[in-house]
Amino acid sequence: MPRGPRQTHPGHEFGYVLSGRLGVTVGFDTTEIGPGDSVYFDSATPHRLFNAGDEPAVGVWMVHAPFGSPK
């Protein structure tokens, strides 16, 4: 179950799950993705990631922040 605050920041995020299950909340929508699944969203939308299974979720994640945005 998701816990903790949702975050926002400039940019976009792309994630690809290699193993395990990852819960993703973006805005008011929550879904689970597994191996071979991916997600892409605007990081300005409140979002939260959480482990959704019994094994650790492992994936590749990229955050693209616009040039000159706060660190």
PDB file of all heavy atoms in Angstrom, residues 35-65:
ATOM      1  N   PRO A  35       7.578  -6.662 -14.664  1.00  0.00           N
ATOM      2  CA  PRO A  35       8.670  -6.814 -15.627  1.00  0.00           C
ATOM      3  C   PRO A  35       8.202  -6.580 -17.063  1.00  0.00           C
ATOM      4  O   PRO A  35       7.190  -7.125 -17.498  1.00  0.00           O
ATOM      5  CB  PRO A  35       9.125  -8.256 -15.422  1.00  0.00           C
ATOM      6  CG  PRO A  35       8.760  -8.555 -14.000  1.00  0.00           C
ATOM      7  CD  PRO A  35       7.465  -7.818 -13.778  1.00  0.00           C
ATOM      8  N   GLY A  36       8.956  -5.724 -17.765  1.00  0.00           N
ATOM      9  CA  GLY A  36       8.627  -5.412 -19.155  1.00  0.00           C
ATOM     10  C   GLY A  36       7.663  -4.247 -19.313  1.00  0.00           C
ATOM     11  O   GLY A  36       7.454  -3.762 -20.421  1.00  0.00           O
ATOM     12  N   ASP A  37       7.074  -3.770 -18.204  1.00  0.00           N
ATOM     13  CA  ASP A  37       6.160  -2.633 -18.256  1.00  0.00           C
ATOM     14  C   ASP A  37       6.933  -1.332 -18.067  1.00  0.00           C
ATOM     15  O   ASP A  37       7.994  -1.310 -17.440  1.00  0.00           O
ATOM     16  CB  ASP A  37       5.100  -2.718 -17.158  1.00  0.00           C
ATOM     17  CG  ASP A  37       4.136  -3.870 -17.343  1.00  0.00           C
ATOM     18  OD1 ASP A  37       3.944  -4.306 -18.502  1.00  0.00           O
ATOM     19  OD2 ASP A  37       3.565  -4.321 -16.331  1.00  0.00           O
ATOM     20  N   SER A  38       6.365  -0.258 -18.589  1.00  0.00           N
ATOM     21  CA  SER A  38       6.986   1.056 -18.429  1.00  0.00           C
ATOM     22  C   SER A  38       5.928   2.094 -18.109  1.00  0.00           C
ATOM     23  O   SER A  38       4.733   1.854 -18.274  1.00  0.00           O
ATOM     24  CB  SER A  38       7.753   1.450 -19.698  1.00  0.00           C
ATOM     25  OG  SER A  38       6.865   1.534 -20.798  1.00  0.00           O
ATOM     26  N   VAL A  39       6.400   3.242 -17.653  1.00  0.00           N
ATOM     27  CA  VAL A  39       5.511   4.343 -17.310  1.00  0.00           C
ATOM     28  C   VAL A  39       6.212   5.646 -17.675  1.00  0.00           C
ATOM     29  O   VAL A  39       7.443   5.735 -17.632  1.00  0.00           O
ATOM     30  CB  VAL A  39       5.126   4.308 -15.814  1.00  0.00           C
ATOM     31  CG1 VAL A  39       6.335   4.507 -14.914  1.00  0.00           C
ATOM     32  CG2 VAL A  39       4.031   5.294 -15.485  1.00  0.00           C
ATOM     33  N   TYR A  40       5.426   6.633 -18.071  1.00  0.00           N
ATOM     34  CA  TYR A  40       5.943   7.958 -18.412  1.00  0.00           C
ATOM     35  C   TYR A  40       4.933   8.974 -17.912  1.00  0.00           C
ATOM     36  O   TYR A  40       3.722   8.789 -18.103  1.00  0.00           O
ATOM     37  CB  TYR A  40       6.109   8.081 -19.933  1.00  0.00           C
ATOM     38  CG  TYR A  40       6.494   9.470 -20.388  1.00  0.00           C
ATOM     39  CD1 TYR A  40       7.823   9.887 -20.360  1.00  0.00           C
ATOM     40  CD2 TYR A  40       5.531  10.366 -20.819  1.00  0.00           C
ATOM     41  CE1 TYR A  40       8.179  11.160 -20.764  1.00  0.00           C
ATOM     42  CE2 TYR A  40       5.883  11.650 -21.234  1.00  0.00           C
ATOM     43  CZ  TYR A  40       7.193  12.034 -21.205  1.00  0.00           C
ATOM     44  OH  TYR A  40       7.553  13.285 -21.594  1.00  0.00           O
ATOM     45  N   PHE A  41       5.408  10.036 -17.244  1.00  0.00           N
ATOM     46  CA  PHE A  41       4.476  11.052 -16.756  1.00  0.00           C
ATOM     47  C   PHE A  41       5.187  12.379 -16.535  1.00  0.00           C
ATOM     48  O   PHE A  41       6.405  12.447 -16.423  1.00  0.00           O
ATOM     49  CB  PHE A  41       3.766  10.597 -15.471  1.00  0.00           C
ATOM     50  CG  PHE A  41       4.689  10.228 -14.340  1.00  0.00           C
ATOM     51  CD1 PHE A  41       5.110  11.175 -13.425  1.00  0.00           C
ATOM     52  CD2 PHE A  41       5.125   8.920 -14.194  1.00  0.00           C
ATOM     53  CE1 PHE A  41       5.956  10.835 -12.381  1.00  0.00           C
ATOM     54  CE2 PHE A  41       5.968   8.569 -13.149  1.00  0.00           C
ATOM     55  CZ  PHE A  41       6.379   9.527 -12.241  1.00  0.00           C
ATOM     56  N   ASP A  42       4.384  13.428 -16.470  1.00  0.00           N
ATOM     57  CA  ASP A  42       4.853  14.778 -16.181  1.00  0.00           C
ATOM     58  C   ASP A  42       5.118  14.858 -14.680  1.00  0.00           C
ATOM     59  O   ASP A  42       4.212  14.630 -13.872  1.00  0.00           O
ATOM     60  CB  ASP A  42       3.781  15.781 -16.598  1.00  0.00           C
ATOM     61  CG  ASP A  42       4.191  17.230 -16.426  1.00  0.00           C
ATOM     62  OD1 ASP A  42       5.025  17.529 -15.542  1.00  0.00           O
ATOM     63  OD2 ASP A  42       3.664  18.068 -17.169  1.00  0.00           O
ATOM     64  N   SER A  43       6.338  15.175 -14.294  1.00  0.00           N
ATOM     65  CA  SER A  43       6.721  15.189 -12.874  1.00  0.00           C
ATOM     66  C   SER A  43       6.059  16.308 -12.079  1.00  0.00           C
ATOM     67  O   SER A  43       6.114  16.313 -10.856  1.00  0.00           O
ATOM     68  CB  SER A  43       8.240  15.327 -12.738  1.00  0.00           C
ATOM     69  OG  SER A  43       8.884  14.275 -13.383  1.00  0.00           O
ATOM     70  N   ALA A  44       5.429  17.275 -12.772  1.00  0.00           N
ATOM     71  CA  ALA A  44       4.705  18.339 -12.075  1.00  0.00           C
ATOM     72  C   ALA A  44       3.402  17.820 -11.470  1.00  0.00           C
ATOM     73  O   ALA A  44       2.835  18.445 -10.583  1.00  0.00           O
ATOM     74  CB  ALA A  44       4.421  19.501 -13.025  1.00  0.00           C
ATOM     75  N   THR A  45       2.939  16.660 -11.941  1.00  0.00           N
ATOM     76  CA  THR A  45       1.760  16.018 -11.365  1.00  0.00           C
ATOM     77  C   THR A  45       2.193  15.303 -10.091  1.00  0.00           C
ATOM     78  O   THR A  45       3.194  14.572 -10.104  1.00  0.00           O
ATOM     79  CB  THR A  45       1.152  14.992 -12.357  1.00  0.00           C
ATOM     80  OG1 THR A  45       0.875  15.659 -13.587  1.00  0.00           O
ATOM     81  CG2 THR A  45      -0.109  14.372 -11.793  1.00  0.00           C
ATOM     82  N   PRO A  46       1.473  15.474  -8.977  1.00  0.00           N
ATOM     83  CA  PRO A  46       1.867  14.781  -7.741  1.00  0.00           C
ATOM     84  C   PRO A  46       1.983  13.267  -7.982  1.00  0.00           C
ATOM     85  O   PRO A  46       1.081  12.659  -8.567  1.00  0.00           O
ATOM     86  CB  PRO A  46       0.734  15.108  -6.772  1.00  0.00           C
ATOM     87  CG  PRO A  46       0.168  16.402  -7.279  1.00  0.00           C
ATOM     88  CD  PRO A  46       0.282  16.309  -8.772  1.00  0.00           C
ATOM     89  N   HIS A  47       3.099  12.697  -7.537  1.00  0.00           N
ATOM     90  CA  HIS A  47       3.330  11.279  -7.798  1.00  0.00           C
ATOM     91  C   HIS A  47       4.068  10.610  -6.640  1.00  0.00           C
ATOM     92  O   HIS A  47       4.708  11.269  -5.835  1.00  0.00           O
ATOM     93  CB  HIS A  47       4.109  11.096  -9.106  1.00  0.00           C
ATOM     94  CG  HIS A  47       5.430  11.801  -9.141  1.00  0.00           C
ATOM     95  ND1 HIS A  47       5.536  13.157  -9.368  1.00  0.00           N
ATOM     96  CD2 HIS A  47       6.698  11.347  -8.984  1.00  0.00           C
ATOM     97  CE1 HIS A  47       6.815  13.500  -9.361  1.00  0.00           C
ATOM     98  NE2 HIS A  47       7.545  12.418  -9.114  1.00  0.00           N
ATOM     99  N   ARG A  48       3.945   9.282  -6.614  1.00  0.00           N
ATOM    100  CA  ARG A  48       4.572   8.465  -5.566  1.00  0.00           C
ATOM    101  C   ARG A  48       4.874   7.099  -6.176  1.00  0.00           C
ATOM    102  O   ARG A  48       4.087   6.563  -6.942  1.00  0.00           O
ATOM    103  CB  ARG A  48       3.602   8.314  -4.403  1.00  0.00           C
ATOM    104  CG  ARG A  48       4.008   7.352  -3.335  1.00  0.00           C
ATOM    105  CD  ARG A  48       2.928   7.108  -2.281  1.00  0.00           C
ATOM    106  NE  ARG A  48       2.341   8.318  -1.786  1.00  0.00           N
ATOM    107  CZ  ARG A  48       1.024   8.523  -1.667  1.00  0.00           C
ATOM    108  NH1 ARG A  48       0.166   7.595  -2.016  1.00  0.00           N
ATOM    109  NH2 ARG A  48       0.557   9.646  -1.182  1.00  0.00           N
ATOM    110  N   LEU A  49       6.003   6.512  -5.817  1.00  0.00           N
ATOM    111  CA  LEU A  49       6.388   5.165  -6.231  1.00  0.00           C
ATOM    112  C   LEU A  49       6.516   4.304  -4.984  1.00  0.00           C
ATOM    113  O   LEU A  49       6.967   4.777  -3.944  1.00  0.00           O
ATOM    114  CB  LEU A  49       7.727   5.186  -6.968  1.00  0.00           C
ATOM    115  CG  LEU A  49       7.835   6.151  -8.147  1.00  0.00           C
ATOM    116  CD1 LEU A  49       9.263   6.169  -8.661  1.00  0.00           C
ATOM    117  CD2 LEU A  49       6.873   5.772  -9.234  1.00  0.00           C
ATOM    118  N   PHE A  50       6.127   3.033  -5.093  1.00  0.00           N
ATOM    119  CA  PHE A  50       6.247   2.147  -3.938  1.00  0.00           C
ATOM    120  C   PHE A  50       6.393   0.706  -4.400  1.00  0.00           C
ATOM    121  O   PHE A  50       5.926   0.330  -5.478  1.00  0.00           O
ATOM    122  CB  PHE A  50       5.044   2.297  -2.990  1.00  0.00           C
ATOM    123  CG  PHE A  50       3.710   2.025  -3.629  1.00  0.00           C
ATOM    124  CD1 PHE A  50       3.124   0.773  -3.542  1.00  0.00           C
ATOM    125  CD2 PHE A  50       3.047   3.021  -4.321  1.00  0.00           C
ATOM    126  CE1 PHE A  50       1.897   0.523  -4.135  1.00  0.00           C
ATOM    127  CE2 PHE A  50       1.817   2.792  -4.914  1.00  0.00           C
ATOM    128  CZ  PHE A  50       1.237   1.533  -4.818  1.00  0.00           C
ATOM    129  N   ASN A  51       7.086  -0.095  -3.609  1.00  0.00           N
ATOM    130  CA  ASN A  51       7.230  -1.511  -3.895  1.00  0.00           C
ATOM    131  C   ASN A  51       5.874  -2.176  -3.684  1.00  0.00           C
ATOM    132  O   ASN A  51       5.256  -2.002  -2.642  1.00  0.00           O
ATOM    133  CB  ASN A  51       8.292  -2.134  -2.985  1.00  0.00           C
ATOM    134  CG  ASN A  51       8.740  -3.478  -3.494  1.00  0.00           C
ATOM    135  OD1 ASN A  51       9.422  -3.528  -4.509  1.00  0.00           O
ATOM    136  ND2 ASN A  51       8.359  -4.541  -2.823  1.00  0.00           N
ATOM    137  N   ALA A  52       5.400  -2.915  -4.674  1.00  0.00           N
ATOM    138  CA  ALA A  52       4.048  -3.480  -4.604  1.00  0.00           C
ATOM    139  C   ALA A  52       4.031  -4.998  -4.487  1.00  0.00           C
ATOM    140  O   ALA A  52       2.978  -5.611  -4.618  1.00  0.00           O
ATOM    141  CB  ALA A  52       3.260  -3.056  -5.839  1.00  0.00           C
ATOM    142  N   GLY A  53       5.168  -5.609  -4.239  1.00  0.00           N
ATOM    143  CA  GLY A  53       5.212  -7.068  -4.144  1.00  0.00           C
ATOM    144  C   GLY A  53       6.079  -7.531  -3.001  1.00  0.00           C
ATOM    145  O   GLY A  53       6.537  -6.739  -2.178  1.00  0.00           O
ATOM    146  N   ASP A  54       6.313  -8.843  -2.979  1.00  0.00           N
ATOM    147  CA  ASP A  54       7.136  -9.436  -1.928  1.00  0.00           C
ATOM    148  C   ASP A  54       8.623  -9.324  -2.211  1.00  0.00           C
ATOM    149  O   ASP A  54       9.435  -9.436  -1.302  1.00  0.00           O
ATOM    150  CB  ASP A  54       6.762 -10.914  -1.745  1.00  0.00           C
ATOM    151  CG  ASP A  54       5.349 -11.086  -1.227  1.00  0.00           C
ATOM    152  OD1 ASP A  54       4.862 -10.182  -0.514  1.00  0.00           O
ATOM    153  OD2 ASP A  54       4.733 -12.120  -1.541  1.00  0.00           O
ATOM    154  N   GLU A  55       9.000  -9.144  -3.467  1.00  0.00           N
ATOM    155  CA  GLU A  55      10.415  -8.994  -3.807  1.00  0.00           C
ATOM    156  C   GLU A  55      10.681  -7.535  -4.175  1.00  0.00           C
ATOM    157  O   GLU A  55       9.769  -6.818  -4.585  1.00  0.00           O
ATOM    158  CB  GLU A  55      10.797  -9.927  -4.958  1.00  0.00           C
ATOM    159  CG  GLU A  55      10.126  -9.596  -6.265  1.00  0.00           C
ATOM    160  CD  GLU A  55      10.545 -10.523  -7.398  1.00  0.00           C
ATOM    161  OE1 GLU A  55      11.623 -10.283  -7.979  1.00  0.00           O
ATOM    162  OE2 GLU A  55       9.795 -11.453  -7.690  1.00  0.00           O
ATOM    163  N   PRO A  56      11.920  -7.087  -4.048  1.00  0.00           N
ATOM    164  CA  PRO A  56      12.230  -5.698  -4.403  1.00  0.00           C
ATOM    165  C   PRO A  56      11.936  -5.423  -5.878  1.00  0.00           C
ATOM    166  O   PRO A  56      12.196  -6.270  -6.739  1.00  0.00           O
ATOM    167  CB  PRO A  56      13.726  -5.584  -4.133  1.00  0.00           C
ATOM    168  CG  PRO A  56      14.038  -6.668  -3.161  1.00  0.00           C
ATOM    169  CD  PRO A  56      13.085  -7.789  -3.502  1.00  0.00           C
ATOM    170  N   ALA A  57      11.389  -4.270  -6.150  1.00  0.00           N
ATOM    171  CA  ALA A  57      11.194  -3.835  -7.531  1.00  0.00           C
ATOM    172  C   ALA A  57      12.516  -3.284  -8.049  1.00  0.00           C
ATOM    173  O   ALA A  57      13.167  -2.474  -7.386  1.00  0.00           O
ATOM    174  CB  ALA A  57      10.107  -2.767  -7.603  1.00  0.00           C
ATOM    175  N   VAL A  58      12.933  -3.741  -9.223  1.00  0.00           N
ATOM    176  CA  VAL A  58      14.180  -3.296  -9.839  1.00  0.00           C
ATOM    177  C   VAL A  58      13.843  -2.757 -11.219  1.00  0.00           C
ATOM    178  O   VAL A  58      13.086  -3.381 -11.967  1.00  0.00           O
ATOM    179  CB  VAL A  58      15.192  -4.464  -9.963  1.00  0.00           C
ATOM    180  CG1 VAL A  58      16.457  -4.012 -10.672  1.00  0.00           C
ATOM    181  CG2 VAL A  58      15.512  -5.038  -8.592  1.00  0.00           C
ATOM    182  N   GLY A  59      14.395  -1.597 -11.533  1.00  0.00           N
ATOM    183  CA  GLY A  59      14.105  -1.021 -12.835  1.00  0.00           C
ATOM    184  C   GLY A  59      15.110   0.031 -13.229  1.00  0.00           C
ATOM    185  O   GLY A  59      16.088   0.278 -12.529  1.00  0.00           O
ATOM    186  N   VAL A  60      14.839   0.632 -14.365  1.00  0.00           N
ATOM    187  CA  VAL A  60      15.641   1.728 -14.880  1.00  0.00           C
ATOM    188  C   VAL A  60      14.745   2.953 -14.851  1.00  0.00           C
ATOM    189  O   VAL A  60      13.608   2.908 -15.323  1.00  0.00           O
ATOM    190  CB  VAL A  60      16.107   1.447 -16.328  1.00  0.00           C
ATOM    191  CG1 VAL A  60      16.886   2.623 -16.885  1.00  0.00           C
ATOM    192  CG2 VAL A  60      16.912   0.171 -16.388  1.00  0.00           C
ATOM    193  N   TRP A  61      15.252   4.052 -14.293  1.00  0.00           N
ATOM    194  CA  TRP A  61      14.444   5.259 -14.136  1.00  0.00           C
ATOM    195  C   TRP A  61      15.207   6.457 -14.675  1.00  0.00           C
ATOM    196  O   TRP A  61      16.394   6.603 -14.432  1.00  0.00           O
ATOM    197  CB  TRP A  61      14.124   5.485 -12.654  1.00  0.00           C
ATOM    198  CG  TRP A  61      12.808   6.145 -12.479  1.00  0.00           C
ATOM    199  CD1 TRP A  61      12.580   7.483 -12.276  1.00  0.00           C
ATOM    200  CD2 TRP A  61      11.547   5.527 -12.514  1.00  0.00           C
ATOM    201  NE1 TRP A  61      11.234   7.717 -12.187  1.00  0.00           N
ATOM    202  CE2 TRP A  61      10.569   6.525 -12.331  1.00  0.00           C
ATOM    203  CE3 TRP A  61      11.123   4.213 -12.698  1.00  0.00           C
ATOM    204  CZ2 TRP A  61       9.214   6.261 -12.320  1.00  0.00           C
ATOM    205  CZ3 TRP A  61       9.772   3.943 -12.684  1.00  0.00           C
ATOM    206  CH2 TRP A  61       8.842   4.964 -12.490  1.00  0.00           C
ATOM    207  N   MET A  62      14.508   7.305 -15.415  1.00  0.00           N
ATOM    208  CA  MET A  62      15.114   8.523 -15.932  1.00  0.00           C
ATOM    209  C   MET A  62      14.218   9.703 -15.580  1.00  0.00           C
ATOM    210  O   MET A  62      13.002   9.630 -15.748  1.00  0.00           O
ATOM    211  CB  MET A  62      15.259   8.459 -17.451  1.00  0.00           C
ATOM    212  CG  MET A  62      15.962   9.682 -18.011  1.00  0.00           C
ATOM    213  SD  MET A  62      15.876   9.796 -19.795  1.00  0.00           S
ATOM    214  CE  MET A  62      14.307  10.587 -19.986  1.00  0.00           C
ATOM    215  N   VAL A  63      14.834  10.757 -15.066  1.00  0.00           N
ATOM    216  CA  VAL A  63      14.123  12.007 -14.786  1.00  0.00           C
ATOM    217  C   VAL A  63      14.757  13.072 -15.675  1.00  0.00           C
ATOM    218  O   VAL A  63      15.965  13.312 -15.600  1.00  0.00           O
ATOM    219  CB  VAL A  63      14.243  12.408 -13.301  1.00  0.00           C
ATOM    220  CG1 VAL A  63      13.544  13.725 -13.056  1.00  0.00           C
ATOM    221  CG2 VAL A  63      13.678  11.305 -12.406  1.00  0.00           C
ATOM    222  N   HIS A  64      13.945  13.671 -16.503  1.00  0.00           N
ATOM    223  CA  HIS A  64      14.429  14.737 -17.383  1.00  0.00           C
ATOM    224  C   HIS A  64      13.895  16.055 -16.853  1.00  0.00           C
ATOM    225  O   HIS A  64      12.683  16.298 -16.851  1.00  0.00           O
ATOM    226  CB  HIS A  64      13.954  14.527 -18.817  1.00  0.00           C
ATOM    227  CG  HIS A  64      14.330  15.646 -19.717  1.00  0.00           C
ATOM    228  ND1 HIS A  64      13.487  16.691 -19.995  1.00  0.00           N
ATOM    229  CD2 HIS A  64      15.486  15.907 -20.368  1.00  0.00           C
ATOM    230  CE1 HIS A  64      14.091  17.548 -20.801  1.00  0.00           C
ATOM    231  NE2 HIS A  64      15.308  17.097 -21.044  1.00  0.00           N
ATOM    232  N   ALA A  65      14.782  16.893 -16.349  1.00  0.00           N
ATOM    233  CA  ALA A  65      14.400  18.213 -15.838  1.00  0.00           C
ATOM    234  C   ALA A  65      14.775  19.250 -16.894  1.00  0.00           C
ATOM    235  O   ALA A  65      15.842  19.157 -17.514  1.00  0.00           O
ATOM    236  CB  ALA A  65      15.109  18.500 -14.538  1.00  0.00           C
TER     237      ALA A  65
END
